[in-house]
Amino acid sequence: MVTARIAYVFRITVAVFPAVAAIAACKPNFDERASEVRNYRILAIRAEPAEWVKVIDPDTGTAKLASYSALVVNPLGTLPSEQLQWAFCTLPKPLTELNDVSIACFEQSADYIMSLGDGPNVSAAIPDNACRQFGPDTPEDQAYRPADPDGTGGYYQPIRALYYPTDDLVVPALGKARIKCGLPGASQEQTSIYNRTYHLNGNPTIDSLVAIRASGETPVVAREDQADAAPLVVGPSESLDLRAAWAACPATDACGDGYCGPTESKDGESSAGGCAADCSPEKTCAGAERYMAFDLETRALRERRESMRLSWFVAQGGGIVRDDRTGATEEETTVATTNRYTAPAVPGDYPLWLVLRDSRGGVGWKSYVVRVQ
Amino acid sequence: MLRARFRLLLASTTLTAALVSATQSQAQSSGTAGAGDTSPNRAGKLTKAPQLLNFKEVEAPYPPSERASEKSAEVVLQIAISDRGEVQEVVIVTTAGPSFDTAAIESAKRFKFTPAEIDGRAAPVKITFKYSFEFKDEIIDLGPQINYSGEVLDSTAPRKSPRPLPGITVTVFDVKTDDAGKKTRTKLAETETDDEGYFEFEGLPAGTYTVVVAGPAIASVETEETIQDKKGLEVKYKVEPKGAPDEDEITIEVIAPRIQKETTTVAIKTEEARRVPGTGGEALRVVQNLPGVARAAFGSGALVVWGAAPQDTRVYLDGARLPLLYHVGGFRATVNSDLVRAIELAPGGYGAEYGRGLGGLVTVDSRALKADGFHGYAAADLIDASALVETPLDGKTRIAVAARKSYLSQTLGVFTKEDVSELVPIPSFYDAQVKIERDLGENETLSLIALTSNDKLRRTVTNPDPAQTISDERTTVFHRLIGGYRRAFADGSSFTLTPSIGTDSFGYTQKFGSTPTEQQIDAVVFGLRAKWRGKVHPTVLMNVGVDIEGTQSKIRRRGAVVLPPREGDITVFGQPPNDVTNFDDWNVLLASVAPYAQADWELFGNKLHVVPGLRMDSFLVNGDKLYPTREGTEQRGYLRNENVLEPRLAIRYQASEKLSFKAAYGQYHQPPVAEDLSPVFGNPNLGFGRATHYLGGFTYRPIEKLSAEVTVFTSQSANLSARSPAPSPLVGEALTNTQDGRAYGGQILLRQELTAHFFGWVSYSLIRSERKDREGTPWRLFDYDQTHVATVVGSYELPFGFEVGARVRYATGFPRTPVQGAYYNSRRDLYEPYFGSQNSIRIPSFFQADARISKRFVWPKAKLEIYADVQNLTNRQNREDIVYNYDYSVKNYITGLPTLAVVGARLEW
């Protein structure tokens, strides 16, 4: 247990008519930081593909599966995560709960928990009624309230991941697989355009990490890219900037640029946005993709860009990052984000994890090693 | 000291020719058929003349407008009487002028006769009736009378503009000298001057007495007065102020219930209210220290009365509804205290005149404007600056203009390098009022109040993490135009008409990362209140009227359906909002017409008052959206009408001079709020919440100005709106009327009213408030439950214009739901808590001591007060809410303000 430190976030001394007034707001600061790994943690859950739509495999006649994996760590490094239990939760969240899913999803009930198996990753097809349970589709004969989309217009199937590092310890986590559903309240024409121009999300990728010193820049290679990659070597207590970058996606659509954008579709004339080269199959971009969304206020389709969010994680005692999270908003076109890293004073090898998320639920991660010497 | 004596003048109306003989009448009628003899039996003989039964009860007073003339007058009336003895028609035969004619007719219309008989059978007749008015300088023994009265005036004021001194204590002592020459002084009676500096004593025995005139603002003076048998004494005492008397005092009154103000209200005068430590000189904030009122959460200013939700307690200014009593943060009232005569807080069980709320009732009455020259004040402290000016425009018209502007965000910026507003939203507000008052006649006034109130709260917190960038802006703006027409009649009855119109605009725009939460409500509100109050019987005082209110709202909302949190939502402070989103815009008209009647029936020689009342509210709910918008589908609106009957009953029994008992019962209904009638975020078919209040108690006044009041109550409510618990609710049913509520408890108030140097009170409330979200679920604590609330307030006047005061408060912490763990939400990269039993823990109790010190400087035409209001003397870190670290593994508290001195100055003239 860590003792919280109370810190007055501001203190003011006021002298008026020779009297003194002092105001101090009173918000406690906590020692624990989201970027610091102190125990077993699940840092990310990823679905591949990042967005689900039911596609029948012509060879098997069954739906193609999506695979789910997780980044599980402890202060010593990345864990193999064999002790992960996976399940779909099929229970919608009541309006009386303010979380993302019904708390019942973390209870054991065969009525709404659909086990997917154990292990570092599992594969499964999303339940057929997902858009009905968690999306806008409602049975024609029953006037149920459609679920509300997130800010990007997306709906999600909850995935429960329970990690059991020991017999008496469980680390619960919630993943959400984005599912493509219909549009609530849109006209047929809008739905038709949307179905043609909305393209499934792709998971983002951390392209590079660079250490920036006054003396120059040093690329850092991730363990996922090269298992025996050289660590980032720093001096004890050294501070340096780390810049992480993701892929730059085309700002405008051009057929043949390797990205199926929101004005392109697999069918039709090229003058009308048809681009089989990029859209059949749909080619995604591992950065901030543009996508078509339905604005509930204007009731019109409009093009948007994903915001990107990079989560920085270090092990307890393995240094400090200035900001727990950095990123780029929807309006920002930058493809990189920088954070300040201060190395620990004690020599040794320390893990560093970066998790990149786009606003449509896509996830990518990389693991690094920092050597203090 | 000037002392004046005067003769007791009693204007008396006497009946000198009560009844002309029926035979004469008949003959007269018969002979002057053209004058309107409508007797159906002209040929018959009058065998029994009608006898007037109730002249004394309905006797017309001598018209005040004619007093100066001191003339006698006679009005000859022709009165048509039915065969049941009721007056059917009154016609002037001989006029004596409009004032006498009106008074005579009004009185004659209420005559009751024994039926006349013609040929032995009851029959209608006409009689001629001479109504005589005489102005007499005489003494009539009518039992105990006011036989010593007068005014206390400022001797430094110009002779032409006498300045009354309110709140001055006048004490009558009987001084006896024993055989040894030793004098003993026995207090016979004591009273206090009212707003006009007037005081009176009733039924003093004849004798010579020592009279002491004392008050915090004057030097005590002593004199001798002689009361003669059956003669009245009226005096004027002109005294020299030594301090700063409050010429524009208002009264803060708490009634529970409002049965009869004289015995069931606790009045706290402005001069006390402003001096209560912790209020920062804002008189209306004293309400927050009264029994039955929970301590508001830090910075909220919400009124939680007898365990009811803040929005269930309604606020009225001169009968027109206001959306807010306090500006955001609760630092100041939205109406300038110096324009207020009285504010009454009825925690429950109030009468039929008001409704549409399940909780308490706050009524604010504006004061009459001064007609004696140019007055005003200017004040400033750390929070805001305000000013008021008032002046007569002509002999009949007066005007007052007041304004206030806060600058807390700027003053904080001067004294800190940090951008405070990034951490805590600092409210910015202003308000302004104009009141014009015109006398239409001696007992007829017309008034118009225009007011505006504007609150803004803005905060932007930037963060490298786009998901943690927060912007928060809230605005609350309302305007009102409130008319007032009041006429008092010679028989003591009065008629009041209060039309009002205005606009409300409430908006909030929050963005937590890319998650928006927005709501904008623009409404036009209108109301009309008409009331007649008068005696219909010597023992029955009626209050009948109609209360009309309407709100046309245009609402736009965007964000998660679960935001902002409602009562009953389980969440923790600072929890990032849900990022699902939706949108809706809709229009709603909520209107209601409520006729009501209430009688105050005196029994057993005024010892027992039974006050039954009945109110019928006819509600109209008209919306333009029954279903969520769907392209290509025609939208359907709805129109609903619901009528509710609300019986009310209050009883007060004066067991002795010192002890009185009270009890009350009432049923109340509250329409849904327009923002809950969205087919996306709420439910267009939401029904009406209802509540039943029961209360009882007693008041004991062992000595003058010291009182103890005990009240117990229970309130049962049902059909309250709450979120649908269904995993998949039906379309348009995000909210349902499934919640029940109950609150019960009691309160004690022990109070020493303002004496020469001291005032103070001790109050304690024990209240339990609970909710049951739906059938089959257990009762849980209400989010605003505050079981124990205790307040001790005292203020003492020192020599040389100094005054010190202290306030100590204790309150149980609000309930909270414990966090039992958390899971990691990978999509949003944050932890989400899971909870234990709802509202099963509490924030630790609140305890705080405040102090106030002031110094007054008084000049002939102005006075200046400088004060320091020091809050949290002991620098105790009161816990205001529970917060958790990022993964909910560590709990801590947000604490309240440490020692804080609000320093201010106020100049009055």
Side-chain angles (χ1 to χ4, degrees):
Chain A
M1 176 67 74
V2 178
T3 305
R5 175 172 55 87
I6 301 288
Y8 291 135
V9 293
F10 63 95
R11 183 179 291 277
I12 305 141
T13 302
V14 179
V16 183
F17 298 119
V20 173
I23 297 177
C26 327
K27 181 183 169 187
N29 278 348
F30 292 97
D31 279 348
E32 302 83 1
R33 292 183 55 184
S35 59
E36 188 181 48
V37 174
R38 295 187 170 201
N39 210 321
Y40 294 100
R41 280 176 69 177
I42 295 175
L43 300 184
I45 292 173
R46 177 170 57 198
E48 189 61 51
E51 185 165 3
W52 165 267
V53 66
K54 189 172 183 178
V55 176
I56 302 298
D57 188 331
D59 298 332
T60 63
T62 58
K64 287 186 176 177
L65 305 182
S67 69
Y68 305 99
S69 57
L71 173 60
V72 184
V73 303
N74 70 5
L76 300 177
T78 305
L79 298 171
S81 63
E82 297 293 340
Q83 297 89 358
L84 267 173
Q85 283 185 1
W86 297 88
F88 283 140
C89 177
T90 61
L91 185 68
K93 180 184 79 70
L95 300 177
T96 48
E97 293 185 21
L98 273 56
N99 286 347
D100 219 9
V101 295
S102 169
I103 196 62
C105 290
F106 288 88
E107 297 166 356
Q108 297 294 349
S109 170
D111 293 340
Y112 46 81
I113 298 297
M114 184 189 301
S115 176
L116 303 180
D118 299 350
N121 53 65
V122 293
S123 296
I126 294 285
D128 286 341
N129 66 349
C131 282
R132 190 173 296 176
Q133 293 291 86
F134 303 104
D137 300 353
T138 54
E140 287 183 2
D141 58 337
Q142 290 171 312
Y144 288 118
R145 183 184 188 279
D148 296 333
D150 75 352
T152 67
Y155 302 95
Y156 299 87
Q157 164 68 51
I159 307 164
R160 189 188 73 181
L162 302 178
Y163 179 64
Y164 291 91
T166 62
D167 289 342
D168 56 354
L169 181 65
V170 59
V171 180
L174 170 74
K176 280 200 152 183
R178 188 174 174 109
I179 50 179
K180 188 182 178 192
C181 301
L183 289 180
S187 67
Q188 282 191 340
E189 184 187 0
Q190 288 170 326
T191 304
S192 171
I193 297 171
Y194 178 80
N195 287 336
R196 198 169 64 244
T197 56
Y198 179 85
H199 306 301
L200 299 180
N201 186 31
N203 281 317
T205 306
I206 299 166
D207 267 2
S208 65
L209 178 68
V210 176
I212 305 170
R213 297 184 175 93
S215 56
E217 297 186 355
T218 308
V220 189
V221 179
R223 292 299 163 111
E224 286 82 359
D225 297 332
Q226 186 182 332
D228 58 350
L232 169 65
V233 179
V234 298
S237 304
E238 180 187 354
S239 286
L240 69 163
D241 285 340
L242 297 175
R243 186 181 66 225
W246 51 86
C249 299
T252 56
D253 291 333
C255 192
D257 62 0
Y259 169 58
C260 184
T263 62
E264 298 174 323
S265 62
K266 64 180 181 182
D267 304 318
E269 299 295 321
S270 58
S271 59
C275 180
D278 290 342
C279 299
S280 184
E282 292 177 353
K283 292 179 179 172
T284 61
C285 174
E289 297 169 296
R290 289 174 295 114
Y291 63 98
M292 194 61 75
F294 183 64
D295 189 308
L296 292 165
E297 181 172 1
T298 62
R299 311 206 72 75
L301 292 167
R302 71 180 179 102
E303 185 181 310
R304 296 181 60 181
R305 176 196 297 279
E306 293 172 339
S307 62
M308 305 297 285
R309 191 166 183 233
L310 188 67
S311 306
W312 303 75
F313 298 98
V314 294
Q316 184 179 20
I320 298 170
V321 286
R322 181 189 57 206
D323 301 313
D324 295 337
R325 311 283 184 261
T326 60
T329 64
E330 191 172 329
E331 293 76 26
E332 293 171 329
T333 55
T334 179
V335 295
T337 181
T338 303
N339 203 350
R340 189 77 176 166
Y341 171 78
T342 302
V346 181
D349 284 357
Y350 298 95
L352 169 71
W353 299 275
L354 303 186
V355 177
L356 181 64
R357 290 177 171 85
D358 65 39
S359 54
R360 285 196 290 167
V363 181
W365 62 73
K366 293 282 173 68
S367 310
Y368 305 87
V369 173
V370 178
R371 177 165 295 160
V372 179
Q373 63 181 30
Chain B
M1 184 177 72
L2 179 72
R3 196 178 72 183
R5 291 177 183 274
F6 87 124
R7 297 168 301 164
L8 177 64
L9 299 178
L10 292 176
S12 172
T13 309
T14 57
L15 177 68
T16 56
L19 192 64
V20 181
S21 79
T23 311
Q24 280 178 318
S25 173
Q26 188 69 9
Q28 201 174 49
S29 300
S30 303
T32 54
D37 177 16
T38 56
S39 171
N41 190 3
R42 296 182 188 184
K45 184 182 177 185
L46 183 73
T47 53
K48 184 178 178 185
Q51 296 294 320
L52 180 58
L53 299 173
N54 64 336
F55 181 76
K56 277 293 176 195
E57 287 82 357
V58 300
E59 181 182 1
Y62 189 93
S65 59
E66 299 289 345
R67 278 186 182 165
S69 69
E70 296 192 3
K71 69 180 183 184
S72 297
E74 290 181 354
V75 182
V76 179
L77 306 171
Q78 187 181 68
I79 303 174
I81 305 168
S82 74
D83 57 0
R84 294 195 301 276
E86 293 166 346
V87 174
Q88 293 187 311
E89 187 181 37
V90 180
V91 176
I92 299 284
V93 175
T94 305
T95 179
S99 302
F100 292 110
D101 291 353
T102 304
I105 289 176
E106 291 298 323
S107 173
K109 282 180 177 174
R110 296 166 59 196
F111 284 176
K112 290 270 193 279
F113 293 88
T114 58
E117 291 181 8
I118 294 176
D119 296 334
R121 300 178 67 173
V125 296
K126 282 188 176 180
I127 64 167
T128 302
F129 189 94
K130 186 166 73 180
Y131 215 128
S132 296
F133 295 88
E134 286 184 31
F135 191 87
K136 288 189 176 180
D137 178 8
E138 64 176 14
I139 297 165
I140 299 173
D141 188 356
L142 297 172
Q145 293 292 300
I146 296 166
N147 57 356
Y148 174 34
S149 62
E151 294 172 273
V152 179
L153 302 171
D154 181 352
S155 65
T156 63
R159 191 181 180 81
K160 289 184 178 177
S161 306
R163 184 167 173 269
L165 296 176
I168 302 298
T169 304
V170 183
T171 313
V172 179
F173 292 97
D174 188 11
V175 181
K176 302 282 187 196
T177 306
D178 61 16
D179 295 338
K182 186 181 175 186
K183 291 185 175 180
T184 55
R185 181 181 274 201
T186 307
K187 184 160 77 173
L188 273 189
E190 186 173 86
T191 189
E192 191 172 273
T193 57
D194 65 10
D195 292 356
E196 308 302 323
Y198 177 77
F199 70 91
E200 60 185 24
F201 291 94
E202 185 180 275
L204 281 179
T208 299
Y209 302 108
T210 297
V211 175
V212 176
V213 180
I218 63 169
S220 294
V221 291
E222 197 169 304
T223 185
E224 262 189 12
E225 300 289 2
T226 300
I227 308 293
Q228 297 180 24
D229 190 28
K230 295 187 177 178
K231 282 193 176 180
L233 171 66
E234 184 171 275
V235 297
K236 279 187 182 174
Y237 296 128
K238 289 200 170 181
V239 296
E240 191 171 341
K242 70 170 183 181
D246 277 319
E247 59 183 341
D248 50 351
E249 81 177 21
I250 66 168
T251 305
I252 308 291
E253 293 170 336
V254 184
I255 59 172
R258 186 177 184 167
I259 304 170
Q260 192 188 56
K261 198 182 268 187
E262 288 75 13
T263 54
T264 59
T265 63
V266 178
I268 299 169
K269 293 178 169 36
T270 304
E271 65 181 271
E272 294 179 43
R274 281 208 192 99
R275 288 146 59 186
V276 170
T279 61
E282 171 60 75
L284 295 186
R285 283 185 66 191
V286 76
V287 173
Q288 296 164 343
N289 298 293
L290 297 175
V293 180
R295 177 191 165 264
F298 172 71
S300 79
L303 272 180
V304 178
V305 181
W306 275 4
Q311 67 271 19
D312 293 349
T313 293
R314 295 167 69 91
V315 180
Y316 292 86
L317 171 64
D318 285 352
R321 192 183 177 206
L322 298 184
L324 290 171
L325 179 59
Y326 298 115
H327 285 289
V328 171
F331 297 112
R332 291 288 186 260
T334 53
V335 179
N336 192 303
S337 295
D338 284 68
L339 276 177
V340 171
R341 183 188 66 79
I343 178 171
E344 295 176 1
L345 167 65
Y350 51 87
E353 193 173 333
Y354 290 92
R356 307 188 188 104
L358 303 183
L361 172 72
V362 177
T363 53
V364 181
D365 293 334
S366 66
R367 69 169 167 86
L369 303 184
K370 295 170 189 165
D372 60 344
F374 181 71
H375 295 281
Y377 84 86
D381 62 17
L382 184 67
I383 298 168
D384 64 13
S386 64
L388 177 145
V389 290
E390 67 177 306
T391 182
L393 296 176
D394 57 40
K396 292 185 172 180
T397 311
R398 302 163 294 282
I399 186 171
V401 180
R404 176 199 310 281
K405 174 81 175 78
S406 78
Y407 40 68
L408 188 59
S409 52
Q410 287 87 348
T411 50
L412 289 184
V414 170
F415 301 107
T416 179
K417 292 178 181 176
E418 296 184 60
D419 187 353
V420 175
S421 65
E422 280 199 3
L423 303 156
V424 178
I426 305 301
S428 170
F429 55 83
Y430 67 81
D431 61 65
Q433 301 86 29
V434 177
K435 179 172 183 180
I436 302 173
E437 203 171 58
R438 182 170 175 80
D439 298 332
L440 300 179
E442 189 172 351
N443 295 310
E444 196 173 14
T445 57
L446 193 64
S447 66
L448 186 67
I449 298 175
L451 64 91
T452 181
S453 171
N454 185 306
D455 282 78
K456 187 167 282 187
L457 208 66
R458 185 180 290 168
R459 177 173 67 136
T460 301
V461 181
T462 56
N463 194 295
D465 178 3
Q468 295 289 329
T469 299
I470 301 168
S471 66
D472 187 354
E473 182 171 339
R474 301 170 199 212
T475 55
T476 303
V477 181
F478 67 89
H479 311 286
R480 287 291 184 280
L481 201 58
I482 304 169
Y485 169 80
R486 185 174 192 279
R487 180 164 184 194
F489 298 98
D491 63 356
S493 64
S494 64
F495 174 72
T496 311
L497 188 69
T498 311
S500 63
I501 190 164
T503 61
D504 291 343
S505 178
F506 309 125
Y508 64 78
T509 304
Q510 292 172 300
K511 205 163 183 188
F512 198 99
S514 61
T515 305
T517 305
E518 301 166 16
Q519 181 167 285
Q520 180 64 41
I521 304 173
D522 293 301
V524 176
V525 296
F526 55 92
L528 178 68
R529 186 176 285 275
K531 176 172 79 171
W532 179 86
R533 187 170 178 272
K535 282 207 165 184
V536 294
H537 183 272
T539 61
V540 180
L541 177 69
M542 282 299 296
N543 176 355
V544 297
V546 62
D547 170 15
I548 301 171
E549 193 175 290
T551 307
Q552 173 71 53
S553 303
K554 178 180 174 60
I555 305 168
R556 175 186 170 281
R557 181 172 165 183
R558 179 188 185 90
V561 67
V562 293
L563 290 176
R566 298 175 67 90
E567 196 288 326
D569 284 346
I570 302 178
T571 183
V572 295
F573 184 91
Q575 187 178 352
N578 200 300
D579 70 344
V580 297
T581 185
N582 212 321
F583 175 85
D584 196 17
D585 53 359
W586 67 103
N587 298 288
V588 173
L589 169 67
L590 279 164
S592 127
V593 178
Y596 67 88
Q598 180 169 288
D600 184 343
W601 188 15
E602 297 174 13
L603 294 166
F604 305 119
N606 204 22
K607 280 192 167 184
L608 178 65
H609 280 252
V610 180
V611 188
L614 185 66
R615 179 185 172 97
M616 198 196 91
D617 239 329
S618 180
F619 292 97
L620 180 77
V621 186
N622 181 201
D624 67 343
K625 261 190 187 177
L626 196 54
Y627 301 109
T629 301
R630 190 172 186 86
E631 291 300 314
T633 306
E634 193 175 341
Q635 185 55 255
R636 277 181 57 193
Y638 55 91
L639 176 65
R640 284 187 282 139
N641 174 236
E642 187 157 335
N643 301 311
V644 295
L645 271 181
E646 297 182 336
R648 317 272 170 90
L649 177 66
I651 297 171
R652 182 181 64 87
Y653 179 65
Q654 191 75 38
S656 70
E657 194 177 322
K658 295 177 178 177
L659 182 64
S660 64
F661 294 92
K662 64 194 174 188
Y665 154 85
Q667 285 194 13
Y668 305 86
H669 291 79
Q670 183 167 300
V673 291
E675 52 263 46
D676 283 349
L677 296 176
S678 159
V680 174
F681 296 101
N683 183 345
N685 293 306
L686 268 186
F688 291 63
R690 61 177 186 271
T692 307
H693 297 181
Y694 303 89
L695 64 91
F698 66 89
T699 302
Y700 181 63
R701 292 177 183 272
I703 56 173
E704 188 76 18
K705 293 193 178 250
L706 179 66
S707 61
E709 182 176 331
V710 177
T711 307
V712 294
F713 77 96
T714 178
S715 166
Q716 312 286 333
S717 51
N719 224 30
L720 307 176
S721 59
R723 293 196 196 283
S724 167
S728 297
L730 298 178
V731 169
E733 291 191 7
L735 298 174
T736 54
N737 287 107
T738 54
Q739 195 181 63
D740 293 337
R742 66 185 183 192
Y744 46 93
Q747 62 185 49
I748 298 171
L749 176 66
L750 178 64
R751 177 160 175 252
Q752 173 65 58
E753 291 176 44
L754 182 65
T755 58
H757 298 289
F758 176 77
F759 74 87
W761 67 84
V762 179
S763 74
Y764 168 70
S765 305
L766 172 65
I767 296 170
R768 182 91 168 174
S769 183
E770 297 172 319
R771 290 289 184 274
K772 186 164 78 169
D773 292 314
R774 55 193 170 277
E775 199 59 43
T777 59
W779 287 96
R780 62 166 172 84
L781 281 177
F782 182 47
D783 283 357
Y784 295 99
D785 177 79
Q786 210 167 71
T787 307
H788 306 280
V789 183
T791 305
V792 180
V793 170
S795 184
Y796 191 82
E797 189 184 18
L798 299 167
F800 308 111
F802 283 99
E803 184 170 14
V804 293
R807 175 181 72 168
V808 178
R809 288 183 298 161
Y810 170 87
T812 307
F814 286 118
R816 290 292 182 264
T817 303
V819 171
Q820 293 194 325
Y823 62 84
Y824 179 64
N825 183 335
S826 169
R827 182 179 72 88
R828 302 188 62 203
D829 187 24
L830 52 76
Y831 282 82
E832 294 188 324
Y834 51 87
F835 296 96
S837 181
Q838 186 168 6
N839 285 350
S840 58
I841 61 170
R842 287 184 185 271
I843 299 168
S845 298
F846 172 90
F847 177 84
Q848 184 168 302
D850 309 314
R852 186 179 191 277
I853 182 164
S854 66
K855 168 79 172 100
R856 289 183 177 185
F857 303 90
V858 179
W859 300 287
K861 292 190 174 180
K863 62 182 178 182
L864 173 69
E865 182 183 42
I866 295 175
Y867 63 88
D869 203 327
V870 185
Q871 300 188 27
N872 197 5
L873 267 180
T874 61
N875 200 25
R876 178 183 159 95
Q877 291 190 350
N878 276 303
R879 291 149 181 195
E880 299 286 355
D881 214 325
I882 302 171
V883 289
Y884 293 85
N885 68 341
Y886 78 95
D887 66 354
Y888 298 90
S889 61
V890 179
K891 181 171 85 171
N892 212 319
Y893 296 93
I894 288 181
T895 53
L897 294 175
T899 303
L900 165 68
V902 174
V903 182
R906 178 185 167 94
L907 177 68
E908 291 182 44
W909 63 90

